[in-house]
């Protein structure tokens, strides 16, 4: 029974932390999460090793400046990951001098926020992928248990459907991005305070 509640809590965490799966929203502006040139979601574009190395260097500066301004580099408050990245893109306009400090550190804000978005989404894909698969397998097993009440099975079915959509969303992250995140895991987990 503890495994069941642990699984439900994990699913709640995924949806609270990551939001609902994105819908196709068409082309958005430059402050949105899609590039005007390709219409492709930034979070699904390839991440280069140079980008991630520069990101690791400038992230502490961005975080410090944003926190000093009373803001947060926080994607958890958004309705969805895509909304969170859109909000992130606009922070430069809300914090005077942020771009200048970022440029002095080696990466402009216009370069930083897309790299942050790609990196963060790849981190979640790496960190949550196995857990989502294990949780889904555990819930499917529980659905076959005749001792589980129907109301609980209904909840499991809903969670499984949402989990499937979430897994599909994270499955689109390029493998190269996941590989880079794993290569730089020690630095990134320290930056993002991940256990």
């Amino acid at each position: 029974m503890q495994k069941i509640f642990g699984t439900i809590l994990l699913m709640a965490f995924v949806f609270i932390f990551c939001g609902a799966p994105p819908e196709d929203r068409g082309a958005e502006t430059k402050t949105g999460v899609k590039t005007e040139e390709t219409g492709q979601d930034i979070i699904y574009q390839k991440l280069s090793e140079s980008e991630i190395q520069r990101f690791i260097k400038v992230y502490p500066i961005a975080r410090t400046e944003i926190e000093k301004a009373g803001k947060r580099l926080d994607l958890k408050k958004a309705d969805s990951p895509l909304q969170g990245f859109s909000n992130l893109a606009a922070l430069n306009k809300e914090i005077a001098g942020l771009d200048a400090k970022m440029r002095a550190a080696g990466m402009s804000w216009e370069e930083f926020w897309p790299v942050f978005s790609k990196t963060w989404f790849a981190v979640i894909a790496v960190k949550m992928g196995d857990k989502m698969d294990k949780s889904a397998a555990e819930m499917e097993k529980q659905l076959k248990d005749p001792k589980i009440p129907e109301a609980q099975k209904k909840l499991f079915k809903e969670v499984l459907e949402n989990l499937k959509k979430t897994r599909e969303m994270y499955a689109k992250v390029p493998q190269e991005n996941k590989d880079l995140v794993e290569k730089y895991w020690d630095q990134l987990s320290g930056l993002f305070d991940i256990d």
Side-chain angles (χ1 to χ4, degrees), residues 119-177:
T119 302
W120 183 249
F121 219 67
V123 164
I124 297 300
V126 167
K127 183 78 173 162
M128 298 304 295
D130 288 341
K131 290 182 180 180
M132 286 190 282
D133 291 342
K134 288 176 184 175
S135 296
E138 181 63 33
M139 277 192 258
E140 287 171 0
K141 179 180 170 186
Q142 295 295 329
L143 283 172
K144 296 174 184 172
D145 187 344
K147 296 176 187 173
I148 302 294
E150 282 305 311
Q152 200 167 358
K153 286 183 179 183
K154 182 180 177 187
L155 174 64
F156 284 166
K157 287 176 184 175
E158 290 172 10
V159 171
L160 278 169
E161 182 61 33
N162 288 328
L163 181 59
K164 178 183 174 190
K165 291 176 185 174
T166 302
R167 287 163 61 194
E168 289 170 1
M169 181 174 65
Y170 286 108
K172 295 178 188 174
V173 174
Q175 186 60 46
E176 297 93 332
N177 295 12

Side-chain angles (χ1 to χ4, degrees), residues 16-52:
I16 290 168
F17 185 70
C18 302
E23 297 175 6
D24 184 17
R25 299 178 184 170
E28 296 182 16
T29 65
K30 282 192 175 186
T31 60
V33 295
K34 292 186 177 187
T35 62
E36 290 180 344
E37 299 81 32
T38 65
Q40 183 181 29
D41 289 332
I42 286 174
I43 55 178
Y44 299 127
Q45 291 178 355
K46 289 186 182 175
L47 182 64
S48 74
E49 190 152 12
S50 169
E51 285 177 325
I52 202 165

